[in-house]
Amino acid sequence: MRHAVFVVPFLFETSVRFLRAALRLPGVAVSLVSQDPLERFDPEIRSGLAAHWKVDNALDATQLTQAVQGLSRQIGPADRLIGVLEQLQVPLAEARENLGLPGLSSEAAECFRDKSVMKTRLREAGLPCARHCLATNTQQLQGFLEEVGFPVVVKPPAGAGAVDTFRLDSPEQVPQMLATWPPHPSRPMLIEEFIVGDEHSFDAVCIDGRCVWFSISDYTPTPLEVMSNNWIQWCVQLPRELEGRGYEPIIEAAPRALHALGMGTGFAHMEWFRRPDGSIAISEVGARPPGAQFTTLLSFAHDTDMYSAWSRLMIEDHFEPPERTHSAGAAYLRGQGQGAVKAIHGLEHAQRELGELVVDVKLPQAGQAQASGYEGEGYAILQHPHTDIVEHGLKRMIEIIRVELG
Ligand SMILES: Nc1ncnc2c1ncn2[C@@H]1O[C@H](COP(=O)(O)OP(=O)(O)O)[C@@H](O)[C@H]1O
Ligand SMILES: [Mg+2]
């Protein structure tokens, strides 16, 4: 029997969906390593686990190594050490190396984690991406600004969720940014040339570094625009057909980019831009399954369970490329105003007009705290064989539904 050790630091619903899928795999013993106590996990999960090991810090490679050693004594030698969280990928890789387990190397994991290293690698491989500079002092920042001009984007080199990510449009904005966030060796700042264009993802499945399957999605608008305008509700759509949509440049470049970054076996989530002239720039890549309900979207677009597909791939090295049967999309329901969720308007109207397209929904609940990210407080997922029907449905959904905060 295979023994897979799954790390879920905290009881996040996204991680738990992957864990549940691993527990459904026949002939696999799954152990859980978490920071949250086992009692927090629901009885169904607890009864499915072979064992549990609590750690104080799940991002510490030494603690993960000791956890796997302890679990191996209880259950038998571990075959895999896996987890889905972005912040876990480097410590997981380090622990696997300590233990001699297969998986993404720590060198590659670092490449995916640090956006500056990532962009340097991509450029070296001749792949298109924004010019960048990792500044540890003001001189470096000024030098880069003189070289590329405005606008630029500044962000933390290992950030996530567009947190602390800003667009600077003119020299007048620099002093204020420097006052609140001066670049320093202890706090380097990543500065990038601003790419004007629309934003997309390229979600890939790789086996031994070879891209064996992929999906593309369209973001409306870009996450940075959503973060900068608190009235905007974000939408993501997976069109059913990938031909005839100008995706050729990314279909050619993305597998080379994954190879250049040292991708092994697993899911990869790449974000990329397309400029008005059709040229592309690769933005960032994670060596992990995507967040923000994307795995659910992938499931609905291919009429399959991509959570299970990921578990099988990571534990048994097996993946059957599914066919695209539908378009799927998510409308992220995001409150307007300030404070907790007060009310949702337009539900009945949306139900009447769009109910037949909705396959999954998480409605913001009255009293729910305001979300800080661009995903908002809830979502509705739409599915239909026709791309334009989903596109129209998403547009209508965010027009009709209004989440009131206050
Ligand atoms: N060079 C860039 N040009 C234009 N927009 C950018 C650039 N870099 C980031 N952004 C915007 O900021 C968002 C967050 O940046 P990203 O690098 O994806 O970090 P995160 O890991 O926080 O998602 C992106 O989704 C995109 O909308
Ligand atoms: Mg991103």
Side-chain angles (χ1 to χ4, degrees):
M1 194 183 232
R2 299 219 113 192
H3 178 199
V5 178
F6 205 128
V7 185
V8 179
F10 301 102
L11 187 69
F12 291 147
E13 182 51 29
T14 27
S15 305
V16 169
R17 284 191 189 179
F18 288 96
L19 173 62
R20 281 204 190 93
L23 290 171
R24 286 195 297 269
L25 281 180
V28 177
V30 179
S31 300
L32 171 67
V33 175
S34 70
Q35 244 171 276
D36 266 344
L38 184 60
E39 301 77 64
R40 293 253 171 95
F41 292 81
D42 67 44
E44 198 194 320
I45 290 179
R46 295 203 308 256
S47 65
L49 289 171
H52 173 255
W53 195 278
K54 191 174 163 348
V55 287
D56 294 329
N57 180 4
L59 301 183
D60 181 302
T62 308
Q63 292 189 28
L64 293 181
T65 307
Q66 288 162 352
V68 175
Q69 286 163 339
L71 290 163
S72 297
R73 281 194 294 275
Q74 290 178 18
I75 305 301
D79 298 292
R80 292 294 145 98
L81 173 61
I82 56 175
V84 295
L85 206 67
E86 165 71 16
Q87 291 84 343
L88 263 178
Q89 298 311 316
V90 173
L92 277 179
E94 287 169 357
R96 280 193 302 259
E97 281 168 9
N98 293 339
L99 295 156
L101 290 176
L104 193 72
S105 71
S106 60
E107 203 261 338
E110 194 63 54
C111 231
F112 283 100
R113 183 84 190 102
D114 184 317
K115 294 172 188 177
S116 171
V117 178
M118 181 191 300
K119 289 218 159 61
T120 303
R121 272 295 159 85
L122 293 175
R123 285 205 153 247
E124 281 168 0
L127 289 151
C129 55
R131 282 181 289 172
H132 77 283
C133 161
L134 188 68
T136 51
N137 60 50
T138 309
Q139 287 75 11
Q140 285 170 333
L141 168 72
Q142 297 290 7
F144 184 76
L145 291 175
E146 272 160 37
E147 192 188 317
V148 308
F150 290 87
V152 292
V153 171
V154 295
K155 55 175 124 168
V163 172
D164 294 334
T165 300
F166 306 99
R167 171 180 169 154
L168 294 181
D169 286 298
S170 67
E172 292 77 59
Q173 292 173 299
V174 176
Q176 198 202 337
M177 192 265 304
L178 283 177
T180 46
W181 203 30
H184 184 269
S186 68
R187 196 179 158 132
M189 172 196 282
L190 182 62
I191 314 147
E192 293 180 13
E193 137 193 37
F194 188 88
I195 307 285
V196 177
D198 43 42
E199 198 168 335
H200 306 262
S201 78
F202 181 97
D203 291 284
V205 174
C206 297
I207 296 181
D208 289 335
R210 205 166 41 86
C211 179
V212 295
W213 183 86
F214 65 87
S215 161
I216 292 175
S217 78
D218 304 337
Y219 296 180
T220 320
T222 71
L224 189 58
E225 282 169 273
V226 181
M227 284 300 265
S228 326
N229 299 280
N230 60 15
W231 51 271
I232 293 182
Q233 306 194 80
W234 190 42
C235 291
V236 169
Q237 185 178 4
L238 281 62
R240 179 177 177 178
E241 50 294 313
L242 300 180
E243 303 82 33
R245 298 180 67 92
Y247 295 151
E248 292 76 15
I250 192 67
I251 293 174
E252 188 276 321
R256 288 197 292 127
L258 292 168
H259 181 75
L261 295 172
M263 185 64 198
T265 294
F267 280 28
H269 175 63
M270 177 182 297
E271 294 183 318
W272 58 282
F273 298 98
R274 184 169 49 189
R275 300 186 186 85
D277 69 1
S279 66
I280 61 160
I282 294 169
S283 179
E284 63 155 347
V285 198
R288 53 163 173 83
Q293 312 307 322
F294 275 54
T295 305
T296 302
L297 288 173
L298 289 169
S299 300
F300 282 118
H302 301 88
D303 241 338
T304 189
D305 177 356
M306 291 302 284
Y307 294 93
S308 295
W310 178 83
S311 303
R312 257 199 107 178
L313 175 69
M314 300 311 284
I315 298 172
E316 299 177 340
D317 294 319
H318 182 91
F319 181 76
E320 274 165 44
E323 289 232 2
R324 193 103 144 180
T325 54
H326 292 79
S327 172
Y332 297 85
L333 308 176
R334 181 173 184 228
Q336 291 172 19
Q338 286 297 326
V341 174
K342 204 166 156 193
I344 314 182
H345 304 279
L347 267 186
E348 269 176 38
H349 181 175
Q351 175 64 29
R352 215 168 39 241
E353 188 177 320
L354 305 164
E356 284 186 2
L357 300 177
V358 177
V359 285
D360 190 8
V361 67
K362 178 178 168 281
L363 290 177
Q365 299 297 313
Q368 187 181 332
Q370 180 174 7
S372 55
Y374 50 83
E375 290 170 45
E377 291 81 18
Y379 57 82
I381 293 182
L382 277 56
Q383 181 205 39
H384 194 274
H386 292 294
T387 300
D388 48 356
I389 291 181
V390 173
E391 186 177 348
H392 181 72
L394 291 173
K395 198 165 149 277
R396 289 293 294 144
M397 186 65 81
I398 58 169
E399 278 167 6
I400 299 169
I401 298 261
R402 191 167 63 83
V403 181
E404 184 188 346
L405 305 177

